[in-house]
Amino acid sequence: MLRNVTLLTAGLLILSACGDHGPEGHSHDQDANTGSRIGTFFSEDIKVAEELVPCTLTDKTETQCYLITVPGKREIGHDLGPWCPRNIEDTAEDSGIWLDNNKVYDADGEFIANLATFYSDDKWQLYNPETGEVKVTDSKDACLAAARPDVDPEYQNYCVECAPEYFEDDIPTQQYVIPAFPQKLDKAAKFDAHGGMGLAFNGVKMDAPAPVDAILGAHTLAPFDDCGGHVNPFVGYHYHAMTDCAAHEDSSSPNGKLLGVAFDGFTVFGQLNSDGSQPEGLDSCGGHSDEIDGYHYHAADPGKNKILGCFSGAQGCSVEGDTYNCSVKPKGPPPGGEGHGKMGPPPKG
């Protein structure tokens, strides 16, 4: 179903054009970048607080952050799905994609039918050989049983699909604090496998790489749609790869299409520059600097099953209760069930 959004057309709010405009207490040099204007790019149903909030980042830097509120029910701005084909005769138009071996594959009927050959494992059998019907988790209960680390034996050898409508009333409003004055660290930071990478400007969470090994280990497949997203019971619809689906209408930068912001405050552009060329000089995290946008990231090729390689700056986080201290990781669900902390066993993707 098509979910349209009206992107903000407000002028750019430049809070920091260069290093000596940042708040006091920063221990690293400020890098001029577009992170200071992200509040103008989010879709209209996402609320960015009018004033910055004091926050403590993951490296214990005390600074100021955007406070961003993303409702559980909202317009995404593009079609969601399809994911699993229903029959091995179904084409790519009726199916999603699968990311493996640094490539993007159409998860169509032919792909499903040939999984035993593709993975050199004759235990794969996601379809009825007599009818060609693909075994799909076509209910909320089936999704919950399959989209977890200890897959219910009943749903092994299934194509795992969780429809958005299963969880429309369950996904809470989520809040994020993202640095308004991002700074590069002396050493890149690894990401939490369950913490996410950032936030697209349509409010969709940019997630860590999908746990492909865990998914395949139960002889299940959990396809993504053509936008690189799928649904789980914990955060709803989220991206494991970035395409132009999330692009902001403002494409005036030579760095290409603006997709979102990483949790360290640096902006994320598309894979290619505006002229179609590959960005040069990217570091291990996928970022580089120029005189126009300062330090920024370019999303990785979707086939790599990652959006960024690491964080170049100290990160913000989801709101945990009434504190904006991102240095402490929660041991359980945050108060009120908001945010994207460790809410019980992590879902498979």
Side-chain angles (χ1 to χ4, degrees):
M1 52 185 165
L2 185 60
R3 300 186 172 194
N4 295 317
V5 297
T6 303
L7 295 169
L8 295 180
T9 56
L12 300 181
L13 176 60
I14 305 298
L15 295 177
S16 172
C18 56
D20 45 0
H21 289 173
E24 295 182 0
H26 282 177
S27 57
H28 307 284
D29 291 335
Q30 171 73 31
D31 193 346
N33 64 89
T34 56
S36 59
R37 53 180 175 160
I38 63 170
T40 66
F41 290 134
F42 284 98
S43 55
E44 63 181 0
D45 51 355
I46 297 168
K47 306 303 180 186
V48 181
E50 293 184 4
E51 297 183 2
L52 301 179
V53 299
C55 57
T56 303
L57 306 183
T58 50
D59 69 343
K60 299 184 179 180
T61 295
E62 295 183 1
T63 183
Q64 292 180 305
C65 288
Y66 289 101
L67 176 60
I68 301 168
T69 301
V70 181
K73 282 188 175 182
R74 66 184 185 281
E75 301 298 325
I76 300 299
H78 60 72
D79 291 336
L80 303 186
W83 291 283
C84 294
R86 269 32 187 190
N87 192 283
I88 59 172
E89 299 296 328
D90 288 351
T91 67
E93 293 183 359
D94 305 307
S95 315
I97 59 175
W98 183 240
L99 314 176
D100 204 354
N101 301 317
N102 292 323
K103 295 181 180 179
V104 177
Y105 298 90
D106 288 323
D108 55 14
E110 182 180 4
F111 186 80
I112 296 293
N114 289 292
L115 280 172
T117 300
F118 186 83
Y119 284 115
S120 301
D121 181 354
D122 59 9
K123 292 182 181 179
W124 282 96
Q125 188 66 53
L126 265 65
Y127 69 98
N128 184 321
E130 296 181 0
T131 65
E133 182 179 357
V134 177
K135 295 183 288 184
V136 178
T137 54
D138 56 1
S139 70
K140 181 176 181 179
D141 288 343
C143 162
L144 291 171
R148 67 187 198 193
D150 55 335
V151 177
D152 188 317
E154 180 182 353
Y155 292 103
Q156 294 188 13
N157 251 314
Y158 260 72
C159 190
V160 181
E161 176 178 299
C162 296
E165 55 266 26
Y166 296 165
F167 306 104
E168 285 183 345
D169 296 325
D170 300 332
I171 303 301
T173 293
Q174 299 184 39
Q175 289 186 304
Y176 301 89
V177 287
I178 296 180
F181 304 95
Q183 306 167 79
K184 289 189 69 178
L185 296 168
D186 295 331
K187 183 179 180 181
K190 295 181 180 180
F191 51 81
D192 183 338
H194 308 301
M197 303 301 297
L199 196 61
F201 289 126
N202 59 5
V204 176
K205 180 184 170 189
M206 301 179 189
D207 224 327
V212 171
D213 289 344
I215 295 170
L216 299 179
H219 294 92
T220 56
L221 202 71
F224 315 94
D225 61 20
D226 288 343
C227 294
H230 62 187
V231 177
N232 73 34
F234 292 83
V235 297
Y237 182 79
H238 58 287
Y239 296 128
H240 285 291
M242 294 298 292
T243 67
D244 290 347
C245 295
H248 192 276
E249 288 180 346
D250 178 9
S251 58
S252 59
S253 171
N255 286 302
K257 296 182 178 180
L258 194 56
L259 303 182
V261 60
F263 285 146
D264 61 6
F266 292 114
T267 43
V268 181
F269 286 85
Q271 178 189 352
L272 301 176
N273 294 322
S274 59
D275 62 2
S277 63
Q278 292 279 354
E280 297 181 353
L282 297 180
D283 58 28
S284 60
C285 296
H288 64 177
S289 296
D290 63 24
E291 295 181 355
I292 297 175
D293 293 307
Y295 185 84
H296 59 275
Y297 297 112
H298 286 270
D301 185 294
K304 295 184 179 297
N305 182 28
K306 67 178 182 179
I307 296 172
L308 307 177
C310 46
F311 287 115
S312 293
Q315 305 99 61
C317 59
S318 61
V319 175
E320 312 298 350
D322 296 326
T323 179
Y324 304 141
N325 185 340
C326 298
S327 300
V328 180
K329 294 182 180 178
K331 295 181 180 179
E338 294 189 354
H340 60 285
K342 296 180 180 178
M343 303 171 64
K348 289 199 321 171

